[in-house]
Amino acid sequence: MAYTICEPCIGTKDTACVDVCPVDCIHPRADEEEFEAAEKLYIHPDECIDCGACVPACPVEAIFANDEVPEEWANYIDIDAAYYADE
Ligand code: SF4
Ligand code: SF4
């Protein structure tokens, strides 16, 4: 499975989740050149180890396990995966 970052991250993007992720699978980090242009952050679906540490760290409750993503944000599962599709 994996976790996904949904709509509430847009406009917040404070990188609190990046700081707690043990496998550095949330990008772009603030020190990466893509950061300024990114509207939100994205979780790498293959590198995420499903630890859940990022969920309580997010101040706007944007992060969900993929099987718990609210229906209105289900498209964000594909949005996060697509961000890494060309790797
Ligand atoms: S669930 Fe764990 S591994 Fe996956 S993005 Fe969140 S902190 Fe990182
Ligand atoms: S902690 Fe939440 S709002 Fe902040 S960057 Fe991560 S997903 Fe976005």
Side-chain angles (χ1 to χ4, degrees), residues 5 8-9 12-18 26 41 54 57-60 62-63:
I5 297 178
C9 182
T12 306
K13 214 178 85 175
D14 67 346
T15 74
C17 52
V18 173
I26 305 175
L41 302 197
C54 53
C58 180
V60 292
I63 308 175

Side-chain angles (χ1 to χ4, degrees), residues 18 20-27 44 46-51:
V18 173
V20 300
C21 180
V23 294
D24 189 28
C25 71
I26 305 175
H27 299 273
H44 194 305
D46 298 328
E47 295 181 3
C48 174
I49 60 170
D50 299 338
C51 72

Side-chain angles (χ1 to χ4, degrees), residues 1-83:
M1 205 180 59
Y3 281 59
T4 286
I5 297 178
C6 298
E7 186 177 74
C9 182
I10 298 173
T12 306
K13 214 178 85 175
D14 67 346
T15 74
C17 52
V18 173
D19 294 339
V20 300
C21 180
V23 294
D24 189 28
C25 71
I26 305 175
H27 299 273
R29 296 189 312 256
D31 63 354
E32 293 175 323
E33 61 178 283
E34 298 88 354
F35 182 76
E36 285 302 325
E39 67 174 3
K40 71 179 205 63
L41 302 197
Y42 308 87
I43 292 174
H44 194 305
D46 298 328
E47 295 181 3
C48 174
I49 60 170
D50 299 338
C51 72
C54 53
V55 173
C58 180
V60 292
E61 297 184 37
I63 308 175
F64 298 87
N66 281 2
D67 62 358
E68 295 175 357
V69 170
E71 195 173 331
E72 69 266 32
W73 293 331
N75 58 315
Y76 282 87
I77 296 173
D78 289 339
I79 289 171
D80 276 24
Y83 183 77

